[in-house]
Amino acid sequence: MDILPCEIWEEVVKNLTALDLINFCKSSDEFLFLLRGKNVVINFDLGGCFAAHKEQLYKQISQEVAYEYIKRLNINKLYWLTLEEIRDIVRLLPHLEELRALDTILGMRNEDVNLYRKLKKLAISVEADQFTSPRELYRDNLSNLRSLCIKFVTKYRADFRRIYYMFFNELRKLDDLWIYDADDVEVQSLRYDYIVCNLRNLQTLVIKSKTNLTLLDYQPFGLLKIYERRRSNITTICYVLSVKLEVLQLNNRKRSLSEVFESRTEKSWNVVHSFLTEIPCTLKTSLHIYKSKSIKNLDFNELSFYHTRVCNSTFINAVIDILLSKRSRSLKKLCLTFCVLQGNIEIRLINSLIYRKFNILEGNVDQTEKQNVFRHVINNCRHLTDLEIVSCLNNDKMEVDEIPFRVPCYSSAIIGAYDFISNLKHLKRLTLEVPSYVNGTFIKEILLKCHDLQALSLISLDANEDLSSILYSHLNYAKNLKEFRFESIHIDLDRLFSAFNRVLSSKLQRVVIKCDYEHSSQLWPLEKLLRRNNELILLVILVAKYNRHQIARLQDLLNERVDCPAKIYVAKTAMAPGDDLAIPEAHKDIVYFDSNISVLHFSDF
């Protein structure tokens, strides 16, 4: 401790999450002074820290932390906190300027609004019927607000005319607005045009909705669309004030006549963009590209080529060009579909390769066609921490006996590609859809070599007993695994839970299991798992062919181990959006499979 001055220690710990900071300082009395440092606690970030359910936050903050210095508080996804505890924490902080409380019970009730008087930035989840306050209350308490992220969890029986006129009309100084219509039931969309029309100071508008959005054009108000993302039933659009975009464009240097006008990577980027309605990068990168009108001198951080409509050599080769370029050497997150794994392989389909049931015979494909370029992608993108590989639909139709069908993606390339994943030494999050012809031997290498793996999601829509067996045998090597999702036709629950029980120091926090059927009826491996893993905050078991007696027996066991409001243990035959009231919004990212790469997360507001 005497070796380093206090200022150095402050620099070391100031970027830790609040919970990590508290645990670090508790490790020795010599570090407790850091919790009193202004530069250390000014940004108190607890967002998504599910392990915080064991702590009494108000007591910790009021007694152990120099709370008078806290200006930015993030409690996103801490859904178990009571309303009074959250209010007490906010009241405790005299200089709070930014509050992020998405997916908590805090909202827009009268007492809640009174807490926001000094805030410049606010993120909350609300039910639309909470807007019952008089106009004066919003005017007095939201006058300092410059940035607002508001998530409508439900719009049931709400008078939106009141919300438009009484609430949004009082946010005259607002320049940054994020709106998430997260209602799964209500089909009527919000009147974004009215909001934009009345908030004349808006510089950034982000809209995310689960309802069907029509074309939203706000150019008459000076807002240009620079980002759009469509994932399953959710649409995200971002608009930025055109004046902000023009500033950098005016300063762009004109190209020299001797300069190469367009590189191969830039040409490939234009090809990809011509096929997709959305550019496959993050909002920040999209903004940079829109301003500079080029990807030159740009290093990609996230790329997602997740699509369902283009599987042709032109698109695939352009994607590979981008991934093998120097622009992708710093890539951290990547999402690919099966077709991209083909590289520049040209598939020659002839009549002899097609059966009446449209099966492709692997044995008749030339060995030269089985070359895999994914190894080169891995070598170029060595710093990947997040990887997703999922299936896609080939849009090229063929006819056999006058019956149209779609050609599936080339399977040999997929088998070869999966074997190289274990070379990613920095991998933390992995999502894979595993075809039935892939035997799963690659899983062993991944679990043995990727020591930092924290989240693993496997989807096998066809029967694949080899994959399951290898997973059961080697899951105990995943010592740092915090999140696990497994979806298959058949899962042996006893073998799966027994595999987790072999991990000596398990760190599991969230587990989701989904299958059609399973053979075993013993419960002791699950009981042992729950007893040994007190950190397990979410456990969802979905077995489609269980009868109500089996579900009730399983749920009774789960209920015995729920010892705090934060723990959610659920057993069902099936679960779909709209009938999942038992699942907090904070956990729906793992309950339902969807891509998380190059997606705008409202929790990052």
Side-chain angles (χ1 to χ4, degrees):
M1 181 61 194
D2 296 334
I3 300 176
L4 297 176
C6 298
E7 291 78 7
I8 299 297
W9 279 111
E10 288 184 353
E11 286 296 320
V12 170
V13 303
K14 73 177 183 179
N15 291 322
L16 293 177
T17 64
L19 192 62
D20 290 338
L21 173 65
I22 292 174
N23 291 334
F24 175 78
C25 294
K26 282 184 175 179
S27 64
S28 172
D29 292 341
E30 295 181 339
F31 294 129
L32 290 177
F33 79 96
L34 292 171
L35 292 176
R36 299 288 172 181
K38 177 179 179 180
N39 295 328
V40 174
V41 301
I42 189 172
N43 183 25
F44 208 71
D45 186 2
L46 286 162
C49 292
F50 296 122
H53 76 273
K54 300 180 297 181
E55 311 293 341
Q56 294 179 312
L57 290 183
Y58 177 79
K59 182 178 179 181
Q60 275 196 332
I61 294 175
S62 62
Q63 296 182 5
E64 301 175 11
V65 179
Y67 58 82
E68 64 273 15
Y69 296 135
I70 296 178
K71 287 189 175 182
R72 296 180 287 275
L73 175 65
N74 184 354
I75 54 173
N76 284 342
K77 300 184 179 181
L78 305 192
Y79 55 87
W80 59 86
L81 294 179
T82 65
L83 186 56
E84 286 306 315
E85 185 174 8
I86 296 178
R87 287 172 176 172
D88 288 343
I89 292 174
V90 176
R91 292 190 191 104
L92 181 68
L93 311 179
H95 299 111
L96 188 65
E97 294 181 356
E98 299 181 8
L99 172 62
R100 297 171 177 84
L102 287 173
D103 300 325
T104 69
I105 199 170
L106 196 67
M108 273 292 174
R109 306 167 192 86
N110 288 356
E111 291 185 62
D112 299 334
V113 176
N114 286 324
L115 299 173
Y116 308 147
R117 181 181 292 271
K118 297 180 181 180
L119 295 183
K120 297 179 180 178
K121 190 168 188 174
L122 173 65
I124 51 169
S125 297
V126 300
E127 296 180 9
D129 58 2
Q130 294 177 357
F131 292 85
T132 58
S133 305
R135 182 193 298 262
E136 293 74 23
L137 190 66
Y138 299 130
R139 182 183 304 154
D140 294 341
N141 290 281
L142 302 177
S143 60
N144 293 319
L145 209 58
R146 297 294 184 271
S147 297
L148 173 65
C149 176
I150 187 165
K151 181 177 180 178
F152 288 96
V153 179
T154 174
K155 306 191 296 290
Y156 182 65
R157 290 183 179 178
D159 182 3
F160 268 86
R161 291 175 301 176
R162 180 180 182 85
I163 298 176
Y164 297 138
Y165 287 98
M166 306 291 283
F167 175 71
F168 281 109
N169 275 11
E170 296 304 323
L171 306 178
R172 298 294 183 177
K173 297 180 180 178
L174 202 68
D175 56 33
D176 187 13
L177 176 61
W178 294 33
I179 305 178
Y180 185 5
D181 184 359
D183 194 339
D184 286 316
V185 180
E186 187 69 41
V187 294
Q188 182 179 3
S189 61
L190 298 176
R191 288 288 304 275
Y192 304 106
D193 53 347
Y194 182 87
I195 296 172
V196 172
C197 180
N198 286 275
L199 297 180
R200 295 303 180 90
N201 289 324
L202 275 186
Q203 297 185 24
T204 303
L205 172 65
V206 177
I207 297 173
K208 187 173 183 179
S209 178
K210 291 187 177 182
T211 59
N212 185 24
L213 290 180
T214 56
L215 178 63
L216 303 177
D217 184 6
Y218 299 128
Q219 289 195 46
F221 303 98
L223 295 173
L224 299 180
K225 182 171 69 174
I226 56 103
Y227 178 90
E228 182 176 354
R229 184 74 72 242
R230 296 183 184 271
R231 292 288 180 267
S232 60
N233 65 327
I234 299 179
T235 302
T236 306
I237 305 175
C238 178
Y239 300 87
V240 174
L241 190 66
S242 57
V243 175
K244 292 180 64 177
L245 297 176
E246 291 170 359
V247 173
L248 184 58
Q249 292 177 16
L250 292 175
N251 296 327
N252 282 346
R253 179 180 61 86
K254 293 184 178 180
R255 293 180 181 271
S256 169
L257 293 176
S258 61
E259 185 178 0
V260 177
F261 180 72
E262 193 176 44
S263 66
R264 177 172 178 173
T265 306
E266 289 174 305
K267 290 181 180 179
S268 297
W269 183 262
N270 291 334
V271 169
V272 169
H273 195 228
S274 68
F275 278 103
L276 302 179
T277 58
E278 54 190 39
I279 49 180
C281 52
T282 62
L283 172 60
K284 182 178 179 180
T285 306
S286 299
L287 184 60
H288 177 89
I289 294 173
Y290 197 98
K291 289 178 177 178
S292 60
K293 302 298 183 183
S294 172
I295 63 169
K296 189 175 183 179
N297 301 323
L298 174 68
D299 291 328
F300 291 114
N301 187 262
E302 293 185 39
L303 286 174
S304 174
F305 300 101
Y306 181 57
H307 63 87
T308 56
R309 69 184 190 93
V310 284
C311 290
N312 58 69
S313 58
T314 303
F315 173 78
I316 293 169
N317 292 340
V319 170
I320 294 299
D321 279 343
I322 294 171
L323 293 177
L324 295 181
S325 71
K326 63 181 180 180
R327 302 286 164 237
S328 297
R329 288 176 185 169
S330 300
L331 198 65
K332 294 295 182 65
K333 300 180 180 182
L334 174 64
C335 177
L336 296 176
T337 50
F338 286 169
C339 67
V340 177
L341 300 183
Q342 299 174 40
N344 55 5
I345 301 168
E346 180 181 353
I347 305 172
R348 305 178 187 92
L349 294 173
I350 56 177
N351 293 333
S352 62
L353 296 181
I354 304 175
Y355 277 137
R356 190 172 299 276
K357 293 185 179 180
F358 317 130
N359 290 323
I360 296 180
L361 298 178
E362 282 291 322
N364 291 348
V365 180
D366 294 340
Q367 290 297 320
T368 56
E369 294 178 339
K370 296 186 178 182
Q371 297 174 356
N372 196 295
V373 300
F374 190 61
R375 173 171 60 90
H376 302 290
V377 173
I378 295 293
N379 289 336
N380 192 55
C381 309
R382 294 177 177 273
H383 303 288
L384 280 178
T385 60
D386 295 45
L387 176 63
E388 296 176 356
I389 302 179
V390 293
S391 63
C392 53
L393 295 178
N394 193 323
N395 233 29
D396 297 330
K397 293 183 179 180
M398 297 186 66
E399 289 188 3
V400 176
D401 295 340
E402 298 181 352
I403 301 176
F405 75 101
R406 298 186 187 280
V407 179
C409 287
Y410 191 50
S411 57
S412 293
I414 298 172
I415 296 174
Y418 280 21
D419 291 333
F420 295 113
I421 296 176
S422 59
N423 293 336
L424 295 171
K425 304 304 180 184
H426 304 287
L427 197 63
K428 292 183 178 180
R429 305 182 67 87
L430 177 63
T431 297
L432 293 178
E433 189 167 338
V434 185
S436 58
Y437 48 78
V438 178
N439 61 17
T441 54
F442 66 92
I443 285 290
K444 174 183 176 181
E445 295 300 314
I446 291 173
L447 296 177
L448 284 171
K449 295 180 180 179
C450 300
H451 303 293
D452 296 331
L453 191 65
Q454 297 178 8
L456 175 62
S457 179
L458 297 174
I459 304 152
S460 181
L461 301 180
D462 301 313
N464 194 336
E465 294 299 328
D466 289 338
L467 169 68
S468 300
S469 181
I470 292 175
L471 182 66
Y472 304 148
S473 300
H474 298 89
L475 199 54
N476 59 300
Y477 292 108
K479 299 184 181 349
N480 292 312
L481 202 63
K482 294 182 178 180
E483 299 181 2
F484 178 76
R485 189 183 190 278
F486 188 24
E487 181 177 348
S488 187
I489 291 179
H490 168 240
I491 297 176
D492 190 327
L493 296 183
D494 284 354
R495 290 188 65 188
L496 178 62
F497 295 141
S498 296
F500 278 122
N501 287 330
R502 293 198 302 270
V503 181
L504 297 179
S505 57
S506 178
K507 299 179 181 179
L508 279 180
Q509 291 183 346
R510 303 197 295 174
V511 174
V512 175
I513 310 296
K514 184 179 179 181
C515 62
D516 288 346
Y517 66 96
E518 62 94 19
H519 291 146
S520 179
S521 60
Q522 301 182 63
L523 295 179
W524 66 264
L526 174 58
E527 186 177 7
K528 182 178 180 181
L529 176 73
L530 296 174
R531 187 173 63 251
R532 293 181 70 248
N533 292 269
N534 194 43
E535 302 291 328
L536 191 62
I537 195 171
L538 175 74
L539 176 59
V540 177
I541 302 175
L542 305 175
V543 185
K545 296 186 179 180
Y546 262 6
N547 58 45
R548 60 186 179 89
H549 299 291
Q550 290 173 301
I551 289 293
R553 182 166 168 248
L554 186 57
Q555 187 64 62
D556 288 342
L557 173 61
L558 297 178
N559 291 340
E560 292 176 4
R561 307 303 303 183
V562 176
D563 53 11
C564 72
K567 292 186 176 181
I568 309 295
Y569 296 167
V570 175
K572 286 179 173 288
T573 56
M575 187 178 295
D579 59 2
D580 56 359
L581 299 180
I583 306 296
E585 189 74 19
H587 292 309
K588 291 183 179 179
D589 62 323
I590 188 173
V591 173
Y592 306 109
F593 168 73
D594 201 1
S595 176
N596 284 313
I597 294 178
S598 291
V599 175
L600 185 61
H601 298 283
F602 268 48
S603 57
D604 296 333
F605 169 78

